[in-house]
């Protein structure tokens, strides 16, 4: 019997210097990671994937993007945890 797949994380960060090493670290810890540059891209990935369990987002994104994304996720995907 195969073990269940590792949890999938959506990492939302506009700065590639932050996003890339963090994504690689999480992959090294065994997580499956999707990367998004902004909230719009994150929404598209959330709509397309059915196995995201956690969203890590930049709470300091321009114009409150992380907080707006968090509210959208809570409304549309209440089972997904969000860390800002």
């Amino acid at each position: 019997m195969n073990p269940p797949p590792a949890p999938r994380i959506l990492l939302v960060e506009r700065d590639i210097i932050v996003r890339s090493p963090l994504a690689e670290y999480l992959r090294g810890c065994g997580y499956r990671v999707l990367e998004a540059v902004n909230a719009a891209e994150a929404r598209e990935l959330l709509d397309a994937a059915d196995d995201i369990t956690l969203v890590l987002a930049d709470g300091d994104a321009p114009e409150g993007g992380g907080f707006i994304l968090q509210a959208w996720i809570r409304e549309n995907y209440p089972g997904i945890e969000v860390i800002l």
Side-chain angles (χ1 to χ4, degrees):
M1 182 185 245
N2 292 332
R8 178 161 288 181
I9 295 174
L10 174 56
L11 177 59
V12 186
E13 169 59 57
R14 69 183 181 275
D15 188 347
I16 193 159
I17 294 172
V18 174
R19 187 180 68 250
S20 183
L22 182 53
E24 287 307 309
Y25 173 78
L26 292 168
R27 287 183 184 107
C29 291
Y31 295 101
R32 297 176 299 142
V33 181
L34 293 174
E35 299 177 47
V37 174
N38 55 41
E41 191 174 305
R43 284 189 213 105
E44 289 178 14
L45 290 170
L46 284 161
D47 287 340
D50 62 354
D51 61 348
I52 295 171
T53 57
L54 174 68
V55 175
L56 294 175
D58 182 1
D60 194 31
E63 301 176 12
F67 292 101
I68 293 169
L69 177 62
Q70 179 185 32
W72 183 85
I73 292 169
R74 284 187 178 171
E75 183 176 318
N76 294 281
Y77 297 96
I80 297 177
E81 297 292 328
V82 179
I83 296 176
L84 297 177

